[in-house]
Structure formats: C-alpha cells, structure tokens
Amino acid sequence: MNRSIRTEIFERFQAANPHPTTELVFNSPFELLIAVLLSAQATDVGVNKATAKLFPVANTPQAMLDLGLEGVKEYTKTIGLYQTKSRHIIETCRILLERHGGEVPQTRAELEALPGVGRKTANVVLNTAFGQPAMAVDTHIFRVANRTRIAPGKNVREVEDKLMRLIPKPFLQDAHHWLILHGRYTCKALKPQCGRCLIADLCEYGAKNDFA
Ligand code: SF4
C-alpha cells in the first residue's frame, strides 16, 4: 500500500468521524487509567457499567485507597479477572500517591512501572488522556492493519511500529480510535462488512469480495 492510499483511507475515516474517542467513559486521566486497567478481556460497555457506580464514590487515588481492596471488588466483580485487576488498582493508587503526588504520570516508563499497566495500557493513556500520538494495538487494530495492508505485521509490536511510521502525521493522534472503531463495527473478525465499508476500494484484503 502506498502513501497516497493510506492518506485517503484516513481522510475518509476523518470525514466520517471528525472527533473520534474511546468508548470508555472517563472524566480525568485517573479515571481513564482505572477504566483501561479494568478493560483487559472485558467489553467497554461492561467496564462503563462498573465505573458508573465506582467513580462517584472514588475518583482519586486517595479515595480508592480509602475504599480498600474489598470495597473496590464490590464495584468490579461483574468484570472478568476482577480480583487481580482490583489488586492492581489499589497498588497503583498507592504508587501514584507515594511517587507522583496523586497524579497520573505522563511518560511511558513511569506508566509501565505501575502494576497491571503494560505497553498497550500506557499507549491508551498517553494518547487519550495526554494527547500524545501513541498507538495501542489491540486485537481490532492488529486485524485491520493486516487485512487492509495499512501496516501488516506478525505481532502487535511490529504493527505498532509500522503504524507510527507509516500513518501520515496529521492523522496520527486520532488513528488509534478510527482503527479500533473500524475493526469493532465494520471490519469484524469473523464476518467483515466489506459491502458497507467506506474504504473497500482502497483495502487490499484478498478475501473481501467473499464478504461483499
Ligand atoms: S473492505 Fe472488508 S476487509 Fe477491507 S477494511 Fe473493509 S471490512 Fe475490512
């Protein structure tokens, strides 16, 4: 895929959805961090249901510590892996208070030092809370990047690096959301909706005519 086709793909995504954002509900970097910590192997809808009750009670590291591990679990128990995730939340809040003045740090190294925060979570927070052009490659982005050939790669890190290098700069900040939404609702894993895909004529997926 050449640069002009890649550019046209993102121009179309932008025209269709000029201000994309995450479907996780949050009102501060801290709330986003907690929501993303809860979101591994869970749906955004499920996380939003839990945080809609949790955040009014605790939306700062201190309030979360005051709630305590058992208290946090009461709000997160509908989410998969909630025991581990709740433990990570409490440990993360302790570190935020001890080392970062209760604020969410804005560097990758500091974010990845928090319990339960890997490269993907750090990328989401850097991109969505702090406006840095980071690319959190999840299963949707990995699939879309490979099928379309926007940035094919054998593993998520390869795809992440290629996307960061190949996506034209003006689109880099929002590309993460466009690709996730495209994978979630159009370029679905089992049955891509090629017949109603706004980039079908630009996509290089060999099997797309089978799904048109
Ligand atoms: S044409 Fe099909 S395979 Fe290509 S991006 Fe669209 S939905 Fe995905």
Side-chain angles (χ1 to χ4, degrees):
M1 176 171 290
N2 64 36
R3 187 175 178 77
S4 68
I5 291 182
R6 235 179 246 113
T7 301
E8 182 160 357
I9 285 176
F10 286 99
E11 281 172 353
R12 289 192 197 174
F13 283 148
Q14 187 176 54
N17 183 6
H19 304 293
T21 188
T22 174
E23 293 185 320
L24 290 171
V25 176
F26 68 99
N27 286 301
S28 67
F30 176 73
E31 288 189 0
L32 178 65
L33 174 63
I34 299 302
V36 182
L37 269 173
L38 289 170
S39 72
Q41 294 173 49
T43 65
D44 287 356
V45 174
V47 171
N48 288 340
K49 265 193 196 152
T51 57
K53 293 188 177 144
L54 172 63
F55 289 156
V57 178
N59 68 349
T60 64
Q62 187 61 60
M64 208 65 86
L65 284 182
D66 292 344
L67 195 55
L69 180 56
E70 294 310 313
V72 171
K73 282 187 195 170
E74 275 305 305
Y75 290 94
T76 59
K77 63 188 177 191
T78 52
I79 298 174
L81 309 175
Y82 77 99
Q83 308 247 27
T84 305
K85 291 174 180 175
S86 300
R87 225 174 23 253
H88 285 156
I89 288 173
I90 290 294
E91 289 165 10
T92 283
C93 288
R94 194 165 289 130
I95 293 172
L96 291 181
L97 283 167
E98 285 173 5
R99 298 188 202 154
H100 303 290
E103 301 292 326
V104 177
Q106 300 194 27
T107 69
R108 173 185 304 289
E110 289 170 314
L111 283 167
E112 288 186 12
L114 299 170
V117 177
R119 187 174 180 89
K120 196 173 83 178
T121 299
N123 278 335
V124 174
V125 173
L126 289 171
N127 175 278
T128 305
F130 300 127
Q132 297 183 30
M135 186 66 59
V137 177
D138 70 350
T139 178
H140 299 299
I141 295 187
F142 186 74
R143 183 173 67 252
V144 172
N146 272 294
R147 273 185 184 160
T148 56
R149 313 296 289 173
I150 290 173
K154 285 190 275 306
N155 53 58
V156 292
R157 188 58 199 273
E158 195 181 335
V159 169
E160 177 186 327
D161 291 344
K162 274 197 184 174
L163 286 169
M164 292 299 292
R165 198 174 72 241
L166 295 174
I167 292 174
K169 278 231 161 30
F171 304 111
L172 208 45
Q173 173 64 34
D174 289 330
H176 159 249
H177 299 303
W178 285 320
L179 292 171
I180 284 184
L181 294 171
H182 191 65
R184 194 174 282 167
Y185 297 111
T186 305
C187 195
K188 298 178 186 182
L190 294 181
K191 205 167 185 306
Q193 313 283 297
C194 305
R196 60 171 195 80
C197 173
L198 84 171
I199 58 165
D201 56 321
L202 306 173
C203 168
E204 296 180 8
Y205 184 44
K208 67 184 171 187
N209 290 332
D210 300 344
F211 295 98

